[in-house]
Amino acid sequence: MAEDAGSPQKPRGSADIDPQETRDWLDALHAALRAGGNPRARYLLQRLEEEARHLGVPGYAQPYSAYRNTIPLDQQGAYPGDLAIEERLTAIMRWNALAMVARANQAYGDLGGHVASYASAAEIFEVGFQHFFRGPEAEQGADLVYFQPHSAPGVYARAFLEGRLSEERIAHYRQETGGKGLCSYPHPWLMPDFWQFPTGSMGLGPINSVYQARFLRYLAQRGLAQTDQRRVWGVFGDGEMDEPESVAALTLAAREKLDNLTFVINCNLQRLDGPVRGNGQVIQEFEALFTGAGWNVIKVLWGSDWDALFARDHDHALLRLFADTVDGKYQTLGANDGAYNMANFFNEDPQVRALVAHMSDAEVDALKRGGHDLRKLHAAFAAARAHKGAPTVILAKTKKGYGMGTAGESRMTSHQTKKLDVDGLRGFRDRFRLPLSDDDLEHLRFYKPAENSAEMHYLRERRSALGGALPSRRRQADALIVPPLSSYAGFALQADNKEMSTTMAVVRMLGGLLKDKHLGARIVPIVADEARTFGMANLFRQVGIYSPVGQLYEPEDSASMLYYKEATDGQILEEGITEAGALSSWIAAGTSYSVHGVAMLPFYIYYSMFGFQRVGDLIWAAADQRTRGFLIGATAGRTTLGGEGLQHQDGQSHLAAAAIPNCRAYDPAFACELAVIVDHGMRAMFERQQDVFYYLTVMNENYAQPSLPEGVADDVIKGLYRFGGHSLKQPAASLRLLGSGAIFPEVIAAAELLAKDWNIASEIWSATSFTELARDARECERHNRLHPEGEARVSHVERCLAGAAPIVAATDYMRAYPQLIASYVEARFIALGTDGFGRSDTRSALRRFFEVDRYQIVLAALQAVAKPLLRDAIRKYGIDADAPASWTV
């Protein structure tokens, strides 16, 4: 980097045994730089490094540059805005954000909220808002901004000045249940016209933003949208970068040359409890990390007041002292005044002390970190936007709680600070020269300049020039045309007892949908790295795998019909072994209707165990973001995946799915049921534009598939329909058997055994979704409780299972899954399920072990209606009555 030439850092702990020789080498480097510029100097350094390696000399260079700004002063450029007005606006945003949080806690005491993060990031946000973040009316298209979640009060404060949020709304920060307040963090579900991206769960914003930038390219290269001029900006915290998702996709961004992506990391050096790296330097660590991943790195560490000091520091004494100062000490220095900094930093080195000998303690106290300097930040943002061929990260050094004085500036407790005392408020007002009286401070009054003021005129003019207000979210896009069900799923509707797996069925349906002339191009098939496992290899040839560079090699299997085909306009997103990455792509595609105005239909197919359990937080964020699409949990259930064992067998995903209000989860047993659900889901999401998504579990087990019975389609969607039964002339007893997914064939077989061996009649019910049944029953129950004078509503499950005949329900999931409906039926309810850790074995052995096979279903039925027969049944079917329960071993 240009400013680092001639600014070396000695390896710590080393001694210079020949200063004159060192000086000669440095002088030679300076001469090469003067004669040939940066390219020549870098070439020589590269050749020296190569030669040293050949000679066996170990490298001593640090994997980062000097602790100073990347962009030198002579390349900074003039500031294009009115600095004075922008600084006043930034101060106003800071105050209103502070007042918003402090008022809520003054009135209610326990609402929480965060001030210190936005206080550190205010200049970062304002440079973006005033000069870079393009809005929805911009000719080039809107930029996409992922906002640091703890800085939400600052975004609200700006929206208040813009007239987008009323004073009443910001006065009800974190008071949402009355319908007029504001949510704590960015939540599109709660503010569907405002927030675009949910970032409240730290770490998800960075990975989502990478895949969103990649999806912009995907849309453009497939000819579906013009996105070439749109950018993704992500403002994240330095502590947040410790989340594994934050760094999980850095190499993907570099590999695909996503120069439409910029991270701005607010390096206030402070996480919730203490320093991010108390004994190290997190900014240098980030530089090494991002440089190694292939990113362009821009450091903004020191404000303009430091420029004169650097200009006079010919021996780089400051840089040496910076290099030896750990972040914990930087925080202590930041929390104290100029006199403390003079005594405990500048005076530690005679050369550094001489550099500031002319400065007073007050002048030292006024030295800013680079993240609080609008000019330095603008230069970095502009350089990031201009950089081609790689994504850029801006590392902006700030102070957490900047401006909060002794109450929170660079303090260990700053993240928990919710209010300031009157003296602290006066100090805040005076520091930022705010036009507030003591009475205003005492009552925490919001401040808004007059509509005809220079500040308000400037605010409106800048956002107008950039295309309107941000954040902003659209709710709908043009509806997609969903083809007739028979056109792609006729084989499933009229299966005629052909054997197939439901995984095979859903992949075949997907292939048919991809051929549809209206919908086909909008489908986004997504896999992590299991396309062949799920029988999707035929799609490689049919629609290709997306790659921004096409295919630069001849694949090993090029002679086969199903060879691995990559193409610039490929449709499949084959993400490799990263469920988090694949889920992030699914979110980008499933929110395209809102983010890009182009409705897309994503199908993400994956091992069901590695969905809700592994990336459940991302699925929850997808729900918050109102994602539309299908999650296909393949090889689902605890007993269908023979041989794989504990960590691959899913018996709990439907319980996780049941917790998400806008997730419609189904466990169909048959291809015909699956077809009806897929059709219904597409029409709900893309004709009626409902903000829901569908989770479907499918199995790799082949068994006979019936045709769709007449008149049951609506009941399939509601979650329960009568499949059949065994009527006997004089039965000993009768009951109802329920089942779903892979265990339903066992339920059918159990009904035959009950009739043949024990003269017991049964009704057989296919429960496609216990979740939907419970949701409907819960809503009916609530309505009847709140409207006792009206006609009582009857839920679908109560209507189907009315009466006292006992019920036995069996699934390939934990007992808690069918028990979702137990409280809504009057009959005795017995649930069988696969509680406990998985095992490696055959399907039949696993079902015997988890006690969900046909024989255990018979035992449960006898326990309910003919208990004296249990001993005979145990003997007849060879059941080990003393075997331990599956959940105890």
Side-chain angles (χ1 to χ4, degrees):
M1 301 175 186
E3 80 287 5
D4 294 329
S7 306
Q9 296 180 81
K10 292 189 302 179
R12 297 185 189 184
S14 65
D16 191 346
I17 60 173
D18 192 340
Q20 183 55 50
E21 182 182 38
T22 303
R23 188 70 260 167
D24 291 344
W25 278 89
L26 295 177
D27 288 345
L29 179 61
H30 278 277
L33 183 62
R34 287 192 298 271
N38 284 348
R40 179 59 180 166
R42 288 185 178 180
Y43 174 78
L44 289 173
L45 289 173
Q46 180 181 344
R47 289 291 292 114
L48 281 170
E49 184 179 4
E50 290 173 355
E51 191 64 22
R53 288 174 180 168
H54 286 311
L55 295 172
V57 179
Y60 287 107
Q62 298 288 358
Y64 45 76
S65 61
Y67 202 82
R68 67 183 299 177
N69 296 341
T70 299
I71 300 173
L73 182 61
D74 60 0
Q75 295 179 23
Q76 184 174 296
Y79 194 74
D82 187 318
L83 271 171
I85 288 181
E86 290 186 26
E87 286 174 349
R88 289 201 297 274
L89 283 169
T90 306
I92 293 168
M93 309 296 181
R94 264 200 180 90
W95 166 255
N96 286 336
L98 169 64
M100 192 184 313
V101 175
R103 279 175 64 150
N105 285 279
Q106 185 182 73
Y108 299 97
D110 61 351
L111 286 176
H114 304 280
V115 179
S117 290
Y118 177 70
S120 68
E123 285 83 7
I124 293 172
F125 281 103
E126 282 307 298
V127 166
F129 278 122
Q130 301 286 12
H131 300 283
F132 293 95
F133 299 162
R134 291 193 294 243
E137 298 162 18
E139 183 179 350
Q140 307 95 325
D143 285 350
L144 311 177
V145 185
Y146 288 76
F147 291 97
Q148 184 182 20
H150 291 121
S151 293
V155 181
Y156 292 144
R158 168 170 263 275
F160 167 61
L161 288 198
E162 293 172 336
R164 302 176 63 209
L165 295 177
S166 67
E167 182 168 338
E168 182 181 28
R169 289 202 73 184
I170 65 170
H172 286 83
Y173 172 65
R174 289 197 169 196
Q175 300 159 64
E176 296 178 83
T177 57
K180 57 186 176 182
L182 298 175
C183 53
S184 53
Y185 306 118
H187 295 299
W189 187 262
L190 301 173
M191 296 177 68
D193 299 311
F194 191 86
W195 292 115
Q196 263 189 317
F197 307 114
T199 55
S201 185
M202 289 188 288
L204 303 192
I207 190 171
N208 281 175
S209 65
V210 171
Y211 283 89
Q212 188 65 255
R214 194 275 210 95
F215 196 72
L216 284 169
R217 295 284 172 82
Y218 174 88
L219 288 174
Q221 292 195 257
R222 292 196 53 225
L224 296 171
Q226 292 293 327
T227 62
D228 293 345
Q229 300 302 311
R230 300 176 67 190
R231 296 191 65 80
V232 177
W233 303 86
V235 183
F236 309 119
D238 49 358
E240 179 177 9
M241 298 308 293
D242 280 343
E243 292 284 1
E245 294 91 348
S246 293
V247 299
L250 299 186
T251 53
L252 171 110
R255 184 169 67 248
E256 300 208 2
K257 298 180 172 58
L258 297 180
D259 51 22
N260 60 343
L261 172 66
T262 299
F263 279 14
V264 185
I265 301 183
N266 175 20
C267 298
N268 58 37
L269 313 185
Q270 180 88 16
R271 48 185 170 81
L272 277 62
D273 291 335
V276 180
R277 296 290 185 273
N279 297 312
Q281 293 181 334
V282 73
I283 290 173
Q284 303 297 73
E285 181 181 320
F286 285 159
E287 183 178 15
L289 171 69
F290 280 89
T291 300
W295 287 52
N296 175 45
V297 180
I298 300 174
K299 292 194 291 191
V300 185
L301 307 188
W302 309 111
S304 299
D305 293 337
W306 289 86
D307 288 336
L309 297 178
F310 283 121
R312 295 182 9 248
D313 185 16
H314 303 296
D315 292 330
H316 312 301
L318 262 178
L319 294 183
R320 289 195 297 273
L321 190 54
F322 288 154
D324 289 329
T325 303
V326 296
D327 285 353
K329 182 172 181 178
Y330 277 125
Q331 286 302 83
T332 303
L333 294 169
N336 287 279
D337 60 14
Y340 182 93
N341 276 258
M342 189 73 82
N344 292 278
F345 180 78
F346 293 98
N347 287 347
E348 288 184 350
D349 183 287
Q351 287 182 284
V352 174
R353 182 169 62 245
L355 286 174
V356 296
H358 65 291
M359 297 178 68
S360 67
D361 291 346
E363 288 173 320
V364 169
D365 194 43
L367 291 171
K368 290 181 182 177
R369 294 182 180 180
H372 299 302
D373 189 305
L374 297 176
R375 287 172 290 190
K376 299 297 184 184
L377 287 167
H378 185 277
F381 274 64
R385 187 173 61 185
H387 187 78
K388 301 301 179 186
T392 294
V393 59
I394 298 170
L395 304 175
K397 187 174 184 178
T398 65
K399 284 186 181 182
K400 193 157 191 173
Y402 183 64
M404 293 171 64
T406 57
E409 188 165 311
S410 291
R411 304 281 169 171
M412 294 291 190
T413 58
S414 60
H415 191 78
Q416 283 73 36
T417 301
K418 319 296 181 191
K419 58 185 75 173
L420 277 70
D421 59 23
V422 174
D423 288 340
L425 293 173
R426 287 196 190 101
F428 187 95
R429 174 195 63 189
D430 297 343
R431 179 169 188 169
F432 295 109
R433 300 187 294 279
L434 289 159
L436 299 169
S437 68
D438 286 353
D439 191 59
D440 293 331
L441 299 179
E442 184 178 348
H443 291 90
L444 293 167
R445 293 192 181 98
F446 299 121
Y447 177 72
K448 189 174 186 179
E451 285 299 316
N452 61 354
S453 66
E455 290 87 353
M456 294 297 284
H457 175 77
Y458 189 89
L459 183 81
R460 290 190 293 265
E461 187 276 330
R462 289 307 309 144
R463 283 319 306 162
S464 176
L466 287 168
L470 281 177
S472 176
R473 181 185 179 276
R474 85 176 90 193
R475 293 191 183 218
Q476 296 185 346
D478 292 340
L480 294 179
I481 300 173
V482 178
L485 179 54
S486 59
S487 68
Y488 63 91
F491 73 94
L493 300 176
Q494 300 296 327
D496 297 329
N497 290 316
K498 295 185 181 71
E499 285 202 355
M500 71 179 84
S501 68
T502 48
T503 296
M504 182 192 306
V506 78
V507 171
R508 187 171 170 184
M509 290 177 206
L510 180 57
L513 287 168
L514 285 164
K515 296 174 183 175
D516 183 77
K517 64 179 181 179
H518 297 294
L519 184 64
R522 301 296 186 91
I523 292 174
V524 185
I526 303 170
V527 289
D529 192 36
E530 293 287 355
R532 297 185 193 277
T533 300
F534 304 140
M536 296 174 64
N538 62 307
L539 299 184
F540 293 167
R541 184 77 176 272
Q542 182 179 340
V543 294
I545 299 163
Y546 170 74
S547 166
V549 297
Q551 194 155 34
L552 305 180
Y553 62 95
E554 181 178 346
E556 174 275 329
D557 58 351
S558 59
S560 72
M561 287 290 293
L562 306 179
Y563 70 88
Y564 195 84
K565 176 189 173 185
E566 298 187 69
T568 56
D569 61 350
Q571 202 158 342
I572 301 170
L573 291 175
E574 222 280 12
E575 302 296 7
I577 303 176
T578 167
E579 285 83 5
L583 210 290
S584 296
S585 274
W586 183 78
I587 292 171
T591 57
S592 180
Y593 73 94
S594 171
V595 176
H596 310 297
V598 179
M600 304 294 286
L601 175 52
F603 285 80
Y604 171 32
I605 305 180
Y606 59 92
Y607 260 102
S608 66
M609 188 67 165
F610 305 133
F612 283 86
Q613 176 159 306
R614 186 168 193 136
V615 289
D617 198 15
L618 278 162
I619 297 174
W620 187 261
D624 187 353
Q625 198 171 332
R626 299 172 178 258
T627 305
R628 300 172 185 172
F630 289 96
L631 293 176
I632 310 294
T635 57
R638 189 86 82 197
T639 69
T640 62
L641 194 57
E644 288 286 5
L646 186 151
Q647 202 136 10
H648 282 66
Q649 293 170 344
D650 166 30
Q652 60 270 4
S653 66
H654 273 286
L655 292 176
I660 301 178
N662 55 339
C663 175
R664 301 291 176 256
Y666 290 86
D667 184 34
F670 300 125
C672 60
E673 299 171 351
L674 181 62
V676 169
I677 296 164
V678 168
D679 177 73
H680 175 81
M682 289 193 296
R683 296 186 189 281
M685 294 183 289
F686 298 103
E687 286 186 347
R688 298 188 292 277
Q689 303 216 28
Q690 296 175 0
D691 291 335
V692 295
F693 67 94
Y694 282 69
Y695 174 55
L696 312 179
T697 43
V698 294
M699 285 69 67
N700 62 333
E701 181 177 359
N702 291 318
Y703 48 78
Q705 300 282 339
S707 298
L708 184 71
E710 194 71 31
V712 304
D714 286 346
D715 287 350
V716 168
I717 298 305
K718 292 175 182 176
L720 184 67
Y721 72 95
R722 183 167 176 175
F723 178 80
H726 288 269
S727 298
L728 302 174
K729 288 184 179 180
Q730 293 183 323
S734 61
L735 78 164
R736 293 168 172 138
L737 301 179
L738 277 61
S740 72
I743 300 303
F744 192 52
E746 295 294 317
V747 171
I748 296 170
E752 294 174 358
L753 290 176
L754 283 167
K756 179 171 65 75
D757 294 346
W758 311 103
N759 193 35
I760 292 176
S762 61
E763 296 175 1
I764 304 172
W765 293 79
S766 178
T768 53
S769 177
F770 287 102
T771 308
E772 288 300 295
L773 291 173
R775 179 177 284 121
D776 171 56
R778 186 168 60 242
E779 291 171 358
C780 289
E781 182 181 63
R782 177 181 183 272
H783 177 273
N784 296 339
R785 182 169 62 248
L786 297 176
H787 301 87
E789 73 289 347
E791 182 179 352
R793 292 181 181 176
V794 180
S795 67
H796 184 65
V797 69
E798 290 173 299
R799 188 178 298 111
C800 292
L801 303 179
I807 299 166
V808 176
T811 76
D812 216 8
Y813 293 85
M814 296 171 65
R815 285 167 173 76
Y817 177 50
Q819 284 170 343
L820 289 170
I821 67 169
S823 64
Y824 302 113
V825 296
E826 61 179 288
R828 182 181 181 187
F829 190 95
I830 299 175
L832 301 180
T834 55
D835 296 71
F837 285 124
R839 292 291 192 280
S840 299
D841 217 314
T842 63
R843 291 188 183 110
S844 59
L846 290 170
R847 287 165 187 166
R848 184 168 58 251
F849 173 78
F850 285 105
E851 299 175 356
V852 291
D853 64 2
R854 62 195 66 184
Y855 305 112
Q856 289 289 347
I857 296 170
V858 168
L859 287 191
L862 295 177
Q863 183 182 23
V865 299
K867 195 171 182 180
L869 299 176
L870 275 173
R871 183 179 300 175
D872 293 339
I874 290 170
R875 188 181 304 113
K876 179 178 180 64
Y877 301 133
I879 293 171
D880 181 1
D882 297 319
S886 62
W887 57 87
T888 65
V889 292

